[in-house]
PDB file of all heavy atoms in Angstrom:
ATOM      1  N   ILE X 868      40.168  19.156 -15.754  1.00 91.00           N
ATOM      2  CA  ILE X 868      40.369  18.622 -14.401  1.00 91.00           C
ATOM      3  C   ILE X 868      41.649  19.183 -13.701  1.00 91.00           C
ATOM      4  O   ILE X 868      41.596  19.636 -12.596  1.00 91.00           O
ATOM      5  CB  ILE X 868      40.510  17.019 -14.414  1.00 91.00           C
ATOM      6  CG1 ILE X 868      39.228  16.427 -14.852  1.00 91.00           C
ATOM      7  CG2 ILE X 868      40.836  16.425 -13.152  1.00 91.00           C
ATOM      8  CD1 ILE X 868      39.296  14.941 -15.190  1.00 91.00           C
ATOM      9  N   LEU X 869      42.680  19.324 -14.492  1.00 91.00           N
ATOM     10  CA  LEU X 869      43.968  19.719 -13.958  1.00 91.00           C
ATOM     11  C   LEU X 869      43.904  21.278 -13.638  1.00 91.00           C
ATOM     12  O   LEU X 869      44.409  21.718 -12.542  1.00 91.00           O
ATOM     13  CB  LEU X 869      45.113  19.500 -14.860  1.00 91.00           C
ATOM     14  CG  LEU X 869      45.516  18.034 -15.169  1.00 91.00           C
ATOM     15  CD1 LEU X 869      46.546  17.835 -16.210  1.00 91.00           C
ATOM     16  CD2 LEU X 869      46.006  17.349 -13.787  1.00 91.00           C
ATOM     17  N   ASP X 870      43.210  21.974 -14.403  1.00 90.00           N
ATOM     18  CA  ASP X 870      42.907  23.415 -14.149  1.00 90.00           C
ATOM     19  C   ASP X 870      42.120  23.605 -12.797  1.00 90.00           C
ATOM     20  O   ASP X 870      42.547  24.481 -12.027  1.00 90.00           O
ATOM     21  CB  ASP X 870      42.163  24.070 -15.319  1.00 90.00           C
ATOM     22  CG  ASP X 870      42.992  24.320 -16.588  1.00 90.00           C
ATOM     23  OD1 ASP X 870      44.243  24.104 -16.416  1.00 90.00           O
ATOM     24  OD2 ASP X 870      42.509  24.609 -17.640  1.00 90.00           O
ATOM     25  N   HIS X 871      41.187  22.812 -12.731  1.00 90.00           N
ATOM     26  CA  HIS X 871      40.379  22.926 -11.438  1.00 90.00           C
ATOM     27  C   HIS X 871      41.215  22.589 -10.200  1.00 90.00           C
ATOM     28  O   HIS X 871      41.086  23.162  -9.153  1.00 90.00           O
ATOM     29  CB  HIS X 871      39.094  21.927 -11.494  1.00 90.00           C
ATOM     30  CG  HIS X 871      38.206  22.099 -10.415  1.00 90.00           C
ATOM     31  ND1 HIS X 871      37.249  23.137 -10.296  1.00 90.00           N
ATOM     32  CD2 HIS X 871      38.007  21.402  -9.245  1.00 90.00           C
ATOM     33  CE1 HIS X 871      36.586  23.040  -9.274  1.00 90.00           C
ATOM     34  NE2 HIS X 871      37.010  21.968  -8.508  1.00 90.00           N
ATOM     35  N   LEU X 872      42.139  21.568 -10.341  1.00 91.00           N
ATOM     36  CA  LEU X 872      42.922  21.112  -9.223  1.00 91.00           C
ATOM     37  C   LEU X 872      43.864  22.378  -8.727  1.00 91.00           C
ATOM     38  O   LEU X 872      44.202  22.676  -7.680  1.00 91.00           O
ATOM     39  CB  LEU X 872      43.778  19.851  -9.533  1.00 91.00           C
ATOM     40  CG  LEU X 872      43.016  18.581  -9.495  1.00 91.00           C
ATOM     41  CD1 LEU X 872      43.916  17.360 -10.046  1.00 91.00           C
ATOM     42  CD2 LEU X 872      42.738  18.281  -8.014  1.00 91.00           C
ATOM     43  N   LYS X 873      44.316  23.112  -9.827  1.00 90.00           N
ATOM     44  CA  LYS X 873      45.187  24.248  -9.582  1.00 90.00           C
ATOM     45  C   LYS X 873      44.444  25.364  -8.786  1.00 90.00           C
ATOM     46  O   LYS X 873      44.988  25.900  -7.866  1.00 90.00           O
ATOM     47  CB  LYS X 873      45.656  24.829 -10.927  1.00 90.00           C
ATOM     48  CG  LYS X 873      46.870  24.066 -11.545  1.00 90.00           C
ATOM     49  CD  LYS X 873      47.233  24.642 -12.899  1.00 90.00           C
ATOM     50  CE  LYS X 873      48.276  23.775 -13.625  1.00 90.00           C
ATOM     51  NZ  LYS X 873      48.412  24.224 -15.019  1.00 90.00           N
ATOM     52  N   THR X 874      43.229  25.464  -9.117  1.00 89.00           N
ATOM     53  CA  THR X 874      42.458  26.634  -8.434  1.00 89.00           C
ATOM     54  C   THR X 874      42.105  26.242  -7.001  1.00 89.00           C
ATOM     55  O   THR X 874      41.772  27.091  -6.265  1.00 89.00           O
ATOM     56  CB  THR X 874      40.959  26.796  -9.124  1.00 89.00           C
ATOM     57  OG1 THR X 874      40.216  25.595  -9.080  1.00 89.00           O
ATOM     58  CG2 THR X 874      41.210  27.234 -10.574  1.00 89.00           C
ATOM     59  N   LEU X 875      42.333  24.974  -6.623  1.00 87.00           N
ATOM     60  CA  LEU X 875      42.075  24.566  -5.216  1.00 87.00           C
ATOM     61  C   LEU X 875      43.433  24.585  -4.480  1.00 87.00           C
ATOM     62  O   LEU X 875      43.476  23.981  -3.320  1.00 87.00           O
ATOM     63  CB  LEU X 875      41.510  23.111  -5.213  1.00 87.00           C
ATOM     64  CG  LEU X 875      40.254  22.923  -5.959  1.00 87.00           C
ATOM     65  CD1 LEU X 875      39.794  21.418  -5.871  1.00 87.00           C
ATOM     66  CD2 LEU X 875      39.089  23.769  -5.236  1.00 87.00           C
ATOM     67  N   GLY X 876      44.345  25.388  -4.790  1.00 85.00           N
ATOM     68  CA  GLY X 876      45.552  25.485  -4.123  1.00 85.00           C
ATOM     69  C   GLY X 876      45.602  26.356  -2.920  1.00 85.00           C
ATOM     70  O   GLY X 876      46.576  26.444  -2.175  1.00 85.00           O
ATOM     71  N   LYS X 877      44.501  27.046  -2.762  1.00 86.00           N
ATOM     72  CA  LYS X 877      44.345  27.958  -1.579  1.00 86.00           C
ATOM     73  C   LYS X 877      44.222  27.130  -0.245  1.00 86.00           C
ATOM     74  O   LYS X 877      43.664  25.968  -0.350  1.00 86.00           O
ATOM     75  CB  LYS X 877      43.185  28.951  -1.655  1.00 86.00           C
ATOM     76  CG  LYS X 877      43.349  29.872  -2.953  1.00 86.00           C
ATOM     77  CD  LYS X 877      42.014  30.620  -3.167  1.00 86.00           C
ATOM     78  CE  LYS X 877      42.038  31.261  -4.472  1.00 86.00           C
ATOM     79  NZ  LYS X 877      40.742  31.866  -4.844  1.00 86.00           N
ATOM     80  N   GLU X 878      44.493  27.772   0.859  1.00 84.00           N
ATOM     81  CA  GLU X 878      44.586  27.064   2.083  1.00 84.00           C
ATOM     82  C   GLU X 878      43.246  26.422   2.475  1.00 84.00           C
ATOM     83  O   GLU X 878      43.118  25.330   2.919  1.00 84.00           O
ATOM     84  CB  GLU X 878      45.102  27.976   3.283  1.00 84.00           C
ATOM     85  CG  GLU X 878      45.358  27.214   4.506  1.00 84.00           C
ATOM     86  CD  GLU X 878      46.039  28.099   5.558  1.00 84.00           C
ATOM     87  OE1 GLU X 878      46.526  29.205   5.242  1.00 84.00           O
ATOM     88  OE2 GLU X 878      45.964  27.693   6.717  1.00 84.00           O
ATOM     89  N   GLU X 879      42.162  27.242   2.178  1.00 86.00           N
ATOM     90  CA  GLU X 879      40.866  26.797   2.687  1.00 86.00           C
ATOM     91  C   GLU X 879      40.289  25.670   1.855  1.00 86.00           C
ATOM     92  O   GLU X 879      39.260  24.952   2.166  1.00 86.00           O
ATOM     93  CB  GLU X 879      39.837  27.898   2.756  1.00 86.00           C
ATOM     94  CG  GLU X 879      39.525  28.581   1.405  1.00 86.00           C
ATOM     95  CD  GLU X 879      40.503  29.716   1.061  1.00 86.00           C
ATOM     96  OE1 GLU X 879      41.573  29.784   1.822  1.00 86.00           O
ATOM     97  OE2 GLU X 879      40.195  30.596   0.323  1.00 86.00           O
ATOM     98  N   THR X 880      40.908  25.366   0.574  1.00 87.00           N
ATOM     99  CA  THR X 880      40.420  24.415  -0.252  1.00 87.00           C
ATOM    100  C   THR X 880      41.368  23.191  -0.508  1.00 87.00           C
ATOM    101  O   THR X 880      41.132  22.391  -1.450  1.00 87.00           O
ATOM    102  CB  THR X 880      40.091  24.904  -1.647  1.00 87.00           C
ATOM    103  OG1 THR X 880      41.270  25.684  -2.205  1.00 87.00           O
ATOM    104  CG2 THR X 880      38.868  25.916  -1.629  1.00 87.00           C
ATOM    105  N   LEU X 881      42.389  23.143   0.329  1.00 89.00           N
ATOM    106  CA  LEU X 881      43.367  22.031   0.188  1.00 89.00           C
ATOM    107  C   LEU X 881      42.855  20.657   0.443  1.00 89.00           C
ATOM    108  O   LEU X 881      43.244  19.657  -0.283  1.00 89.00           O
ATOM    109  CB  LEU X 881      44.511  22.289   1.114  1.00 89.00           C
ATOM    110  CG  LEU X 881      45.475  23.472   0.803  1.00 89.00           C
ATOM    111  CD1 LEU X 881      46.497  23.649   1.888  1.00 89.00           C
ATOM    112  CD2 LEU X 881      46.110  23.300  -0.561  1.00 89.00           C
ATOM    113  N   LYS X 882      41.794  20.548   1.299  1.00 90.00           N
ATOM    114  CA  LYS X 882      41.227  19.249   1.623  1.00 90.00           C
ATOM    115  C   LYS X 882      40.480  18.652   0.385  1.00 90.00           C
ATOM    116  O   LYS X 882      40.597  17.609  -0.078  1.00 90.00           O
ATOM    117  CB  LYS X 882      40.278  19.287   2.743  1.00 90.00           C
ATOM    118  CG  LYS X 882      39.710  18.018   3.170  1.00 90.00           C
ATOM    119  CD  LYS X 882      38.952  17.995   4.469  1.00 90.00           C
ATOM    120  CE  LYS X 882      38.412  16.646   4.871  1.00 90.00           C
ATOM    121  NZ  LYS X 882      37.641  16.696   6.114  1.00 90.00           N
ATOM    122  N   ARG X 883      39.773  19.693  -0.311  1.00 89.00           N
ATOM    123  CA  ARG X 883      39.043  19.232  -1.542  1.00 89.00           C
ATOM    124  C   ARG X 883      40.053  18.873  -2.623  1.00 89.00           C
ATOM    125  O   ARG X 883      39.792  17.859  -3.394  1.00 89.00           O
ATOM    126  CB  ARG X 883      38.138  20.387  -2.058  1.00 89.00           C
ATOM    127  CG  ARG X 883      36.831  20.620  -1.277  1.00 89.00           C
ATOM    128  CD  ARG X 883      36.229  21.924  -1.490  1.00 89.00           C
ATOM    129  NE  ARG X 883      36.048  22.181  -2.894  1.00 89.00           N
ATOM    130  CZ  ARG X 883      35.713  23.380  -3.409  1.00 89.00           C
ATOM    131  NH1 ARG X 883      35.759  24.453  -2.608  1.00 89.00           N
ATOM    132  NH2 ARG X 883      35.487  23.565  -4.669  1.00 89.00           N
ATOM    133  N   GLN X 884      41.211  19.656  -2.738  1.00 91.00           N
ATOM    134  CA  GLN X 884      42.195  19.325  -3.735  1.00 91.00           C
ATOM    135  C   GLN X 884      42.706  17.862  -3.509  1.00 91.00           C
ATOM    136  O   GLN X 884      42.896  17.073  -4.470  1.00 91.00           O
ATOM    137  CB  GLN X 884      43.339  20.288  -3.602  1.00 91.00           C
ATOM    138  CG  GLN X 884      44.291  20.160  -4.706  1.00 91.00           C
ATOM    139  CD  GLN X 884      45.563  21.018  -4.419  1.00 91.00           C
ATOM    140  OE1 GLN X 884      46.212  21.011  -3.443  1.00 91.00           O
ATOM    141  NE2 GLN X 884      45.903  21.904  -5.421  1.00 91.00           N
ATOM    142  N   SER X 885      43.008  17.603  -2.260  1.00 91.00           N
ATOM    143  CA  SER X 885      43.487  16.319  -1.853  1.00 91.00           C
ATOM    144  C   SER X 885      42.472  15.160  -2.334  1.00 91.00           C
ATOM    145  O   SER X 885      42.879  14.084  -2.973  1.00 91.00           O
ATOM    146  CB  SER X 885      43.724  16.170  -0.345  1.00 91.00           C
ATOM    147  OG  SER X 885      44.032  14.868  -0.056  1.00 91.00           O
ATOM    148  N   GLN X 886      41.206  15.326  -1.928  1.00 91.00           N
ATOM    149  CA  GLN X 886      40.223  14.292  -2.348  1.00 91.00           C
ATOM    150  C   GLN X 886      40.027  14.117  -3.927  1.00 91.00           C
ATOM    151  O   GLN X 886      40.038  12.985  -4.293  1.00 91.00           O
ATOM    152  CB  GLN X 886      38.856  14.765  -1.731  1.00 91.00           C
ATOM    153  CG  GLN X 886      38.851  14.537  -0.218  1.00 91.00           C
ATOM    154  CD  GLN X 886      37.521  15.176   0.387  1.00 91.00           C
ATOM    155  OE1 GLN X 886      36.871  15.960  -0.358  1.00 91.00           O
ATOM    156  NE2 GLN X 886      37.238  14.902   1.599  1.00 91.00           N
ATOM    157  N   LEU X 887      40.081  15.202  -4.618  1.00 92.00           N
ATOM    158  CA  LEU X 887      39.878  15.108  -6.056  1.00 92.00           C
ATOM    159  C   LEU X 887      41.135  14.478  -6.808  1.00 92.00           C
ATOM    160  O   LEU X 887      41.031  13.721  -7.611  1.00 92.00           O
ATOM    161  CB  LEU X 887      39.747  16.555  -6.653  1.00 92.00           C
ATOM    162  CG  LEU X 887      38.276  17.071  -6.390  1.00 92.00           C
ATOM    163  CD1 LEU X 887      38.112  18.399  -7.077  1.00 92.00           C
ATOM    164  CD2 LEU X 887      37.197  16.115  -7.079  1.00 92.00           C
ATOM    165  N   ALA X 888      42.422  14.861  -6.208  1.00 92.00           N
ATOM    166  CA  ALA X 888      43.552  14.250  -6.755  1.00 92.00           C
ATOM    167  C   ALA X 888      43.663  12.751  -6.547  1.00 92.00           C
ATOM    168  O   ALA X 888      43.948  12.066  -7.468  1.00 92.00           O
ATOM    169  CB  ALA X 888      44.829  14.911  -6.057  1.00 92.00           C
TER     170      ALA X 888
END
Side-chain angles (χ1 to χ4, degrees):
I868 294 172
L869 295 175
D870 285 349
H871 187 79
L872 283 171
K873 283 177 190 170
T874 62
L875 298 178
K877 297 169 190 168
E878 192 173 341
E879 63 272 16
T880 53
L881 289 175
K882 186 173 183 180
R883 283 164 55 198
Q884 185 189 55
S885 168
Q886 289 170 344
L887 284 179

